[in-house]
Amino acid sequence: MGSPSSKEKTDQPEYSGPILYYNDTVLDHFTNPRNVGELAENETDGYGLVGDPMCGDQMKLWISIRSERIDRIAFKSYGCPGAIATSSMLTDLAKGRTVEEAKRITDDDVVEALGGIPERKKHCSLLGVLALQAAIKDWETKCSLKKESEP
Amino acid sequence: MGSPSSKEKTDQPEYSGPILYYNDTVLDHFTNPRNVGELAENETDGYGLVGDPMCGDQMKLWISIRSERIDRIAFKSYGCPGAIATSSMLTDLAKGRTVEEAKRITDDDVVEALGGIPERKKHCSLLGVLALQAAIKDWETKCSLKKESEP
Amino acid sequence: MIYLDHNATTPLDRRVLETMLPYLENEWGNPSSPYRFASRAKIAIEKARNQIAECAGCGPGEIIFTSSGTESDNLAVRGTAHALRSRGNHIVTTAIEHHAVLNTCKALETEGFRVTYLPVNSSGVVSIKELENRLAPETILVTVMHANNETGVLQPVKEIADLTKKRGIPFHTDAVQTAGKIPYPLCELGADLISFSGHKLYGPKGTAALYIHEKTPLSPILTGGLQENGLRAGTENVAGIMGLAHAFSLSAESAEREYKRLEELRDRFEERICTLIPGTKINGTGAPRIPNTTNISFDSVDGESIVLGLDLHGICVSTGSACSTGEPEPSHVLVAMGLSPKEAQGSIRISLGRDTGEAEMDTALEALSDTIKRLRSISSV
Amino acid sequence: MIYLDHNATTPLDRRVLETMLPYLENEWGNPSSPYRFASRAKIAIEKARNQIAECAGCGPGEIIFTSSGTESDNLAVRGTAHALRSRGNHIVTTAIEHHAVLNTCKALETEGFRVTYLPVNSSGVVSIKELENRLAPETILVTVMHANNETGVLQPVKEIADLTKKRGIPFHTDAVQTAGKIPYPLCELGADLISFSGHKLYGPKGTAALYIHEKTPLSPILTGGLQENGLRAGTENVAGIMGLAHAFSLSAESAEREYKRLEELRDRFEERICTLIPGTKINGTGAPRIPNTTNISFDSVDGESIVLGLDLHGICVSTGSACSTGEPEPSHVLVAMGLSPKEAQGSIRISLGRDTGEAEMDTALEALSDTIKRLRSISSV
Ligand SMILES: Cc1ncc(COP(=O)(O)O)c(C=O)c1O
Ligand SMILES: Cc1ncc(COP(=O)(O)O)c(C=O)c1O
């Protein structure tokens, strides 16, 4: 048996169960998600769609790029509170960043910015990250196509 | 499934467990047993010993007979409260009876006279009955020996 | 707070707490102890057993106290399986049982039992014909719940009892969601084993019972002392038992009145919600249901988000059974009824109780309508 | 009333009841429910788990709540047996275990397990050498109680733990009679599984726990929802758990002081009784014992009659373990120590507690002396 002192003794255990362990920041992003909506097609430089609502969460994300920076960002999200709040936080983190900076945003960054999220909801934070990367990829593909099509 | 009405519905269920379900009569016979003691050998017409203390209760019972009646009776008893109380009650029932009447006393008579006894103690009531029968038998044997030895 | 999750648990009735207190404060003897002080505790629990037996329509010797609906289910299912192992190894149940039965059947499969999980139709009802077809000579137990905890849908338990009786097969029904709600004695269901739980009927948590028809063979799952007729060892939770009995008889008294009252409230709510919120579907309406439960699917939103949205309005509802909220999978009950995982994911359960009136339902309706609108405005689907 | 049967059960500490009441009155949410109201109940039981873990000297994840010492014993013994069935089928225990362990071992024998019941010496202690000799490659569990409930005799649990650790065999100890009484953290015993029960330490009936060292394989005996880390399904007895944790930590606080105080009281009582009443023998004096317990044999009288005699004086003592009073057989513990059935039959257990002082012991001594005299004057042997 290990020595008692080697055991984790925390007054705030990590709960794996109920929803309610979302902290206030998460609740705020769930209740007032930032950057919700869509960009019109002519305003959209990149679009990402990840997830499959048939078996979990789904996110759509639109970006417009100006001077290699994410100028506008919008999302729509189907899913649990974790999915909605992390999606919202992701868009907040990405907004105004350079594309290179935005690419480096990780799921851990999103969770950290929210001040933590229940263990079993951690996977949600990947949704936004992947959607952003998909949107950036979409933009990059369009760029290179444009370049190719240039004389 | 039987109809509900066919089921026993009593407010005073028979408990099989604790001692405490002895009624006041039983408690009285346990606290103040009647006819406790021994008869001197020269006063004893019949003696009965039943039970084995190595594996349960034991009772010794002495009777003296006058005019075919139980004139005096005394007992000693090793055992549980049920054994002591039923022994006591048995001697009370037998006292003053004719030998023929005494022979007909049953364990049920003892239990009835006590106003009931916990189910798992019912066997105790046999102890006194058997001791009495043994004592009577002892007397009868002595009588017939006496008769035989008469000219 | 508006509490609309009475299928998860209920508040402890104040009158029940009053009944319990003397057994917490003064009458703390061990019912098995051999002196008069402790005998008062023993007498008390036997009175409680009588009280329950009277309300349930059975003999006191047919009621065994346990610590939860889950334990009652385990005792019934494992206890029968182990008692009748030599007679056969086949168990028939349904795909929509509570996990207390479902996971126990799964555990028995690892011990060599064969389990048939009967399907249900789109209303959530098992077919008697199908059940009859699956009975085999080696079938030793049929276990079909009375009302489903997620949808409130009632199974044809009396008909199943008639069938199993004819075939001589023990029949267990999990009546955790109907005990205290139905306006007739529990034993009229005709099952050989019936589980029910205290905290679902305004009694204390940690208390429950199993009705065991007198001739039903059963092995204990907790062995030790001779408590509960040798069928459930362990020092009795005396205060809890007293509370369970009082709660059970209080529910029996009010069941008929509550049944009608809640049915009206719920039906009105369901009608209005379908009008007010498009893309809404009530699950299980094609079948008889207990009147306090409604299970609703909403297009394009996730159940957990609805629950949290309502929670932020001070309204408590649930996505399904409380004890499975740890699981991210969609409800096994709704999926068995043919809903797609996405539809199942978009469902919530609202369950009414004694403290629910029109005002509560009206507030809930408004909050629900707001929440759904808001979530749909965010939704990508 | 003078209560001298604290090994059977103890009164509920008023401070513990105060801790429980809010969870009976207001915080009645289901800990598994997904809204903030119910989360307060979940947070509460996790705090209780932390509190117990701190006193016991382990991690919170190593404490599982159950409904009785009996259930904890069943979970430990059956749970290990079933989890390790593929590794072996041999269990080592002793002849003097509580029926919760003994009858569970007997039940496992009918499932194909082989059980060794170790004898004890005349002081009631198991031999480590003998135990070691009986370990086999297929041994999957050793279960030896800490203090015996009838005699208070302590087993060499730490030494057994050292041995089983070396051999890689899971070791369970039933500490129902020592938890809250010993002045050191429970986990210092070194066992992999440790049972304890609320109502033996001034906590509520219907509550108990099992310590499970983190790497110990265990199968649940109650299956269903995911409560208690999947090891014990069923809605939690929230108020009970809160009470258990408070009672456990209060006992831990006072254990050292009480240990000394009770030891003095008991030793003085034993000395005086042997002087005052001839034909008296204290059982287990040759071994270390918990200080609150004395088990005494009296020549020529029956234990049940002594108990009733004392009861009529307003004094509560017992013939042995409370839960076996239904049985007319002499104590299996005393018989294992070499007493004849008749000696065993003439024995009583006196167990002291927080409310026991000199005055109580003096009164008891006098009443006991009277009772023995009176019964001997009736006795035929
Ligand atoms: C149908 C059904 N069966 C069994 C249970 C389990 O009962 P308990 O919570 O008392 O363990 C529940 C409650 O969740 C239930 O709804
Ligand atoms: C040593 C021992 N183990 C187990 C138990 C059973 O505990 P509970 O009464 O909580 O079921 C007892 C109490 O009778 C005991 O003394």
Side-chain angles (χ1 to χ4, degrees):
Chain A
M1 214 182 61
S3 88
S5 60
S6 74
K7 304 275 161 58
E8 192 197 353
K9 271 185 218 155
T10 160
D11 238 42
Q12 292 293 340
E14 256 292 326
Y15 301 105
S16 57
I19 285 178
L20 34 108
Y21 299 103
Y22 293 129
N23 66 35
D24 287 345
T25 311
V26 178
L27 290 181
D28 180 40
H29 275 265
F30 170 73
T31 319
N32 309 298
R34 324 295 198 259
N35 310 304
V36 172
E38 308 186 6
L39 297 190
E41 217 180 315
N42 59 351
E43 296 170 330
T44 302
D45 294 314
Y47 170 70
L49 164 64
V50 293
D52 174 2
M54 288 319 280
C55 56
D57 308 325
Q58 189 200 53
M59 185 177 181
K60 293 178 178 166
L61 187 139
W62 294 261
I63 49 176
S64 77
I65 310 283
R66 190 188 280 195
S67 324
E68 297 278 319
R69 271 183 197 279
I70 297 182
D71 178 46
R72 293 178 66 197
I73 187 165
F75 83 98
K76 284 205 156 179
S77 181
Y78 163 84
C80 72
I84 293 171
T86 54
S87 301
S88 164
M89 177 54 90
L90 181 275
T91 60
D92 240 16
L93 288 181
K95 201 169 173 180
R97 295 276 183 97
T98 66
V99 170
E100 285 314 305
E101 283 167 352
K103 274 188 189 169
R104 288 199 298 270
I105 297 173
T106 66
D107 47 347
D108 288 341
D109 295 336
V110 175
V111 171
E112 203 191 308
L114 284 169
I117 198 161
E119 189 59 39
R120 75 179 177 95
K121 292 297 180 186
K122 287 243 165 88
H123 70 276
C124 295
S125 55
L126 209 54
L127 198 72
V129 171
L130 295 177
L132 177 60
Q133 287 172 359
I136 291 173
K137 182 131 216 166
D138 180 41
W139 170 69
E140 288 175 339
T141 313
K142 280 186 199 152
C143 286
S144 60
L145 283 178
K146 228 185 267 172
K147 269 194 201 118
E148 271 169 34
S149 67
E150 272 169 15
Chain B
M1 217 181 61
S3 88
S5 58
S6 74
K7 304 273 162 60
E8 193 197 351
K9 271 187 217 156
T10 160
D11 238 42
Q12 292 292 340
E14 256 292 326
Y15 301 104
S16 57
I19 284 178
L20 35 107
Y21 299 103
Y22 292 129
N23 66 35
D24 287 345
T25 312
V26 178
L27 290 181
D28 181 41
H29 276 264
F30 169 73
T31 319
N32 308 297
R34 323 297 196 259
N35 310 304
V36 173
E38 308 186 4
L39 296 190
E41 216 179 316
N42 61 352
E43 297 171 329
T44 303
D45 293 315
Y47 169 69
L49 164 63
V50 295
D52 174 3
M54 289 319 280
C55 56
D57 308 325
Q58 190 201 51
M59 185 178 181
K60 292 177 179 166
L61 187 139
W62 294 261
I63 50 174
S64 77
I65 309 284
R66 191 188 280 196
S67 324
E68 297 278 320
R69 269 182 199 279
I70 295 180
D71 179 47
R72 293 178 65 196
I73 187 163
F75 83 98
K76 283 205 156 180
S77 181
Y78 162 84
C80 71
I84 293 172
T86 55
S87 300
S88 165
M89 179 53 92
L90 180 275
T91 61
D92 241 16
L93 289 180
K95 202 170 171 179
R97 295 276 183 98
T98 67
V99 170
E100 285 316 304
E101 282 167 355
K103 273 188 191 171
R104 288 199 299 270
I105 297 173
T106 65
D107 47 345
D108 288 342
D109 294 336
V110 176
V111 170
E112 203 190 309
L114 285 168
I117 198 160
E119 189 59 37
R120 75 180 177 96
K121 292 298 179 184
K122 287 244 165 89
H123 70 278
C124 294
S125 55
L126 209 53
L127 198 71
V129 171
L130 294 177
L132 177 60
Q133 287 171 0
I136 292 173
K137 183 131 217 165
D138 179 41
W139 170 71
E140 289 174 337
T141 311
K142 280 183 200 156
C143 285
S144 59
L145 284 177
K146 231 185 264 173
K147 271 196 201 120
E148 273 168 32
S149 65
E150 275 168 15
Chain C
M1 179 180 86
I2 295 178
Y3 185 77
L4 292 172
D5 199 16
H6 292 84
N7 285 12
T9 195
T10 54
L12 183 61
D13 190 307
R14 295 284 146 154
R15 295 166 291 179
V16 172
L17 178 56
E18 289 304 317
T19 298
M20 294 169 68
L21 281 176
Y23 297 91
L24 293 169
E25 290 172 344
N26 307 313
E27 299 295 335
W28 45 264
N30 186 323
S32 303
S33 290
Y35 30 80
R36 288 166 300 169
F37 161 62
S39 83
R40 297 207 296 263
K42 172 77 174 162
I43 291 171
I45 63 177
E46 295 312 321
K47 284 218 168 121
R49 202 186 307 278
N50 274 283
Q51 191 179 5
I52 290 180
E54 207 145 316
C55 296
C58 64
E62 297 177 308
I63 297 292
I64 295 294
F65 294 117
T66 71
S67 70
S68 65
T70 298
E71 186 186 337
S72 292
D73 283 344
N74 272 259
L75 176 55
V77 175
R78 278 177 205 270
T80 305
H82 290 160
L84 298 181
R85 203 195 293 262
S86 63
R87 203 202 280 175
N89 75 335
H90 181 233
I91 296 169
V92 174
T93 186
T94 77
I96 58 157
E97 296 299 307
H98 188 271
H99 285 117
V101 168
L102 220 47
N103 287 347
T104 301
C105 286
K106 281 184 192 151
L108 287 170
E109 284 182 304
T110 71
E111 292 182 31
F113 289 89
R114 185 167 68 80
V115 181
T116 298
Y117 301 91
L118 294 170
V120 292
N121 66 16
S122 63
S123 297
V125 184
V126 85
S127 144
I128 291 266
K129 268 257 105 7
E130 177 92 17
L131 190 154
E132 186 163 15
N133 288 340
R134 306 300 287 269
L135 295 181
E138 66 271 19
T139 307
I140 52 169
L141 175 68
V142 171
T143 171
V144 175
M145 73 197 313
H146 191 200
N148 182 270
N149 44 303
E150 296 187 29
T151 61
V153 168
L154 289 156
Q155 301 302 321
V157 162
K158 291 185 196 188
E159 288 81 349
I160 298 173
D162 287 342
L163 180 64
T164 53
K165 209 166 299 167
K166 253 183 255 148
R167 304 280 290 252
I169 302 169
F171 171 42
H172 167 244
T173 191
D174 174 344
V176 167
Q177 289 298 346
T178 48
K181 291 177 187 161
I182 49 171
Y184 53 86
L186 215 45
C187 290
E188 283 185 13
L189 292 176
D192 302 295
L193 299 142
I194 306 178
S195 309
F196 56 100
S197 180
H199 73 100
K200 307 283 188 188
L201 40 80
Y202 308 88
K205 293 179 174 56
T207 70
L210 179 66
Y211 159 81
I212 307 171
H213 179 53
E214 49 184 353
K215 279 172 215 139
T216 313
L218 205 71
S219 295
I221 55 175
L222 295 180
T223 45
L226 296 177
Q227 295 94 345
E228 297 300 311
N229 209 13
L231 282 175
R232 202 268 181 180
T235 297
E236 300 90 339
N237 179 354
V238 181
I241 287 170
M242 300 316 289
L244 172 64
H246 194 188
F248 189 72
S249 77
L250 287 171
S251 317
E253 273 168 31
S254 63
E256 191 158 346
R257 192 173 62 244
E258 279 295 281
Y259 202 94
K260 288 204 193 96
R261 192 180 71 82
L262 295 177
E263 195 159 40
E264 272 175 40
L265 272 181
R266 186 207 45 194
D267 290 351
R268 183 162 160 274
F269 178 82
E270 288 185 346
E271 240 181 79
R272 293 174 63 195
I273 210 169
C274 291
T275 323
L276 199 62
I277 310 176
T280 294
K281 193 187 136 217
I282 316 281
N283 297 308
T285 43
R289 289 179 293 158
I290 39 170
N292 79 315
T293 308
T294 180
N295 187 299
I296 319 173
S297 301
F298 298 96
D299 287 353
S300 313
V301 290
D302 175 82
E304 259 188 73
S305 288
I306 307 173
V307 168
L308 181 59
L310 289 176
D311 187 17
L312 294 168
H313 279 85
I315 296 168
C316 304
V317 307
S318 122
T319 45
S321 77
C323 71
S324 57
T325 47
E327 303 172 12
E329 287 104 50
S331 152
H332 68 286
V333 175
L334 298 180
V335 168
M337 289 164 69
L339 274 72
S340 72
K342 177 157 164 272
E343 286 174 305
Q345 204 78 28
S347 306
I348 61 165
R349 173 186 74 186
I350 295 179
S351 49
L352 291 61
R354 280 192 206 156
D355 45 338
T356 314
E358 275 192 40
E360 282 77 15
M361 294 310 283
D362 288 351
T363 309
L365 187 66
E366 221 167 285
L368 188 56
S369 168
D370 279 5
T371 302
I372 299 292
K373 259 186 219 140
R374 200 178 68 71
L375 290 172
R376 282 190 180 154
S377 76
I378 305 172
S379 179
S380 61
V381 296
Chain D
M1 180 180 84
I2 295 179
Y3 185 77
L4 291 172
D5 199 16
H6 292 83
N7 285 12
T9 195
T10 54
L12 183 62
D13 191 308
R14 295 285 146 152
R15 295 165 293 179
V16 172
L17 178 56
E18 289 305 316
T19 298
M20 293 169 68
L21 281 176
Y23 296 91
L24 293 168
E25 289 171 345
N26 306 313
E27 299 295 335
W28 45 263
N30 187 324
S32 303
S33 288
Y35 31 81
R36 289 167 302 169
F37 162 62
S39 82
R40 298 207 295 262
K42 172 78 173 161
I43 291 170
I45 63 176
E46 295 312 321
K47 286 218 167 120
R49 203 187 306 278
N50 274 281
Q51 192 179 6
I52 290 180
E54 208 146 316
C55 297
C58 65
E62 298 177 308
I63 297 293
I64 295 294
F65 294 117
T66 71
S67 69
S68 66
T70 298
E71 187 186 336
S72 292
D73 283 344
N74 272 259
L75 176 54
V77 175
R78 278 177 206 270
T80 305
H82 290 161
L84 298 180
R85 203 195 293 261
S86 63
R87 203 203 278 177
N89 76 335
H90 182 232
I91 295 169
V92 175
T93 187
T94 77
I96 60 158
E97 297 298 307
H98 188 272
H99 285 117
V101 168
L102 220 47
N103 287 346
T104 302
C105 286
K106 281 183 192 153
L108 287 170
E109 284 182 303
T110 71
E111 291 182 32
F113 289 90
R114 185 167 68 81
V115 181
T116 299
Y117 301 91
L118 294 171
V120 292
N121 65 18
S122 62
S123 296
V125 183
V126 85
S127 145
I128 289 269
K129 266 259 106 5
E130 176 92 18
L131 190 153
E132 186 163 14
N133 287 340
R134 307 300 287 270
L135 295 181
E138 65 273 19
T139 307
I140 52 169
L141 174 68
V142 172
T143 172
V144 176
M145 73 197 314
H146 190 202
N148 181 270
N149 44 304
E150 296 188 31
T151 61
V153 168
L154 289 156
Q155 301 302 321
V157 162
K158 291 185 196 186
E159 290 82 348
I160 299 173
D162 287 341
L163 179 64
T164 52
K165 210 166 295 164
K166 254 182 253 149
R167 305 280 290 254
I169 301 168
F171 172 41
H172 167 244
T173 191
D174 172 345
V176 167
Q177 288 299 345
T178 49
K181 291 176 187 161
I182 48 171
Y184 54 85
L186 215 46
C187 290
E188 284 186 12
L189 293 176
D192 303 296
L193 299 142
I194 306 178
S195 309
F196 57 100
S197 178
H199 73 100
K200 307 283 188 186
L201 40 80
Y202 308 88
K205 292 179 176 56
T207 70
L210 179 65
Y211 159 80
I212 306 172
H213 179 52
E214 50 185 351
K215 278 170 214 140
T216 313
L218 205 71
S219 294
I221 55 175
L222 295 180
T223 44
L226 296 177
Q227 296 94 345
E228 298 299 311
N229 208 13
L231 282 174
R232 204 267 182 183
T235 298
E236 300 90 339
N237 178 352
V238 180
I241 287 171
M242 301 316 288
L244 172 65
H246 194 190
F248 189 71
S249 77
L250 287 171
S251 318
E253 274 168 32
S254 63
E256 193 159 343
R257 192 172 65 243
E258 279 296 279
Y259 203 93
K260 288 201 194 100
R261 193 180 71 81
L262 295 178
E263 196 160 40
E264 272 174 39
L265 272 182
R266 190 218 26 208
D267 290 352
R268 182 162 160 273
F269 178 81
E270 288 185 345
E271 240 180 79
R272 292 175 66 196
I273 210 169
C274 290
T275 323
L276 199 63
I277 310 176
T280 294
K281 194 186 135 215
I282 316 281
N283 297 306
T285 44
R289 289 179 293 159
I290 38 168
N292 79 315
T293 308
T294 181
N295 188 298
I296 319 174
S297 300
F298 299 96
D299 288 352
S300 314
V301 290
D302 175 82
E304 259 188 73
S305 287
I306 307 174
V307 167
L308 181 59
L310 289 176
D311 187 17
L312 294 169
H313 280 85
I315 295 169
C316 303
V317 307
S318 121
T319 45
S321 77
C323 70
S324 56
T325 47
E327 303 173 10
E329 287 104 51
S331 151
H332 68 286
V333 175
L334 299 179
V335 168
M337 290 165 70
L339 274 70
S340 71
K342 179 159 162 270
E343 286 174 305
Q345 204 80 26
S347 307
I348 61 164
R349 173 185 75 185
I350 296 179
S351 50
L352 291 61
R354 279 190 206 157
D355 46 339
T356 313
E358 277 192 39
E360 282 77 14
M361 294 310 282
D362 289 350
T363 309
L365 187 66
E366 221 167 286
L368 189 55
S369 168
D370 279 4
T371 302
I372 300 293
K373 259 186 220 140
R374 199 178 69 70
L375 290 171
R376 284 191 180 155
S377 76
I378 306 173
S379 180
S380 61
V381 297

